[in-house]
C-alpha cells in the first residue's frame, strides 16, 4: 500500500526537524537548531507579499524575545519585521523553503 502524499510530507518534515534537533536538550535549543539551519539553507533575498503588497524578504531571523521567525521585508526602501505566518508565498518558493516548513511544523507541535 502506498503512503498518501500528506504522510510523505509529514515524514519529510519530521526528518528535517530530527536533523535540526538531534542533540538538543530543550525547546530553546531546538529553536536555535532550526534557526541555524534556516540561516544556512534559505536563500535570501526572495519575493513575497504582505497584505497584497510586493516585498523583498532580505533576511530571516528570530524575534527579540521568545520563539518565532521574522522575515525582514523591504518595502519602498524601508525594512519591516513581519512574522513569517503573515507572508504570502510566491508560487516558486525560495531555495531552502523546506526548512521554513519544518520550523512551522515544529512550532505547531508545541501546542
Amino acid at each position: 500500500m502506498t503512503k498518501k502524499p500528506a504522510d510523505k510530507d509529514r515524514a519529510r518534515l519530521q526528518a528535517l526537524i530530527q536533523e535540526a534537533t538531534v542533540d538538543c536538550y530543550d525547546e530553546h535549543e531546538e529553536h536555535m537548531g532550526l534557526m541555524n539551519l534556516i540561516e544556512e539553507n534559505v536563500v535570501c533575498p526572495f519575493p513575497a507579499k504582505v497584505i497584497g503588497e510586493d516585498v523583498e524578504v532580505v533576511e530571516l531571523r528570530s524575534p527579540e524575545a521568545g520563539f518565532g521567525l521574522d522575515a525582514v521585508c523591504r518595502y519602498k526602501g524601508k525594512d519591516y519585521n513581519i512574522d513569517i505566518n503573515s507572508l504570502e508565498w510566491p508560487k516558486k518558493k525560495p531555495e531552502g523553503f523546506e526548512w521554513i516548513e519544518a520550523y512551522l511544523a515544529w512550532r505547531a507541535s508545541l501546542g
Side-chain angles (χ1 to χ4, degrees):
M1 183 172 170
T2 307
K3 285 188 176 184
K4 296 177 190 175
D7 291 340
K8 288 181 184 178
D9 289 343
R10 195 172 307 119
R12 178 182 58 85
L13 292 177
Q14 286 303 313
L16 291 172
I17 293 167
Q18 179 65 27
E19 180 180 339
T21 62
V22 68
D23 292 327
C24 298
Y25 292 103
D26 62 20
E27 292 172 345
H28 298 284
E29 288 186 10
E30 290 176 0
H31 180 258
M32 289 311 302
L34 284 157
M35 292 303 300
N36 287 337
L37 285 169
I38 287 170
E39 184 178 308
E40 291 173 12
N41 292 288
V42 179
V43 178
C44 292
F46 59 86
K49 288 188 178 199
V50 177
I51 59 169
E53 295 291 330
D54 291 324
V55 299
E56 182 179 42
V57 177
V58 295
E59 183 182 357
L60 297 169
R61 63 179 174 207
S62 293
E64 293 291 321
F67 296 143
L69 177 58
D70 286 347
V72 179
C73 298
R74 188 160 291 151
Y75 177 72
K76 295 186 178 180
K78 291 186 177 182
D79 291 348
Y80 301 90
N81 290 337
I82 306 293
D83 183 89
I84 199 78
N85 289 312
S86 296
L87 291 183
E88 298 171 43
W89 297 96
K91 286 184 182 183
K92 183 177 184 236
K93 306 293 189 280
E95 185 177 332
F97 181 74
E98 64 272 11
W99 288 105
I100 294 171
E101 291 178 301
Y103 176 81
L104 294 173
W106 171 83
R107 195 162 92 176
S109 75
L110 295 179

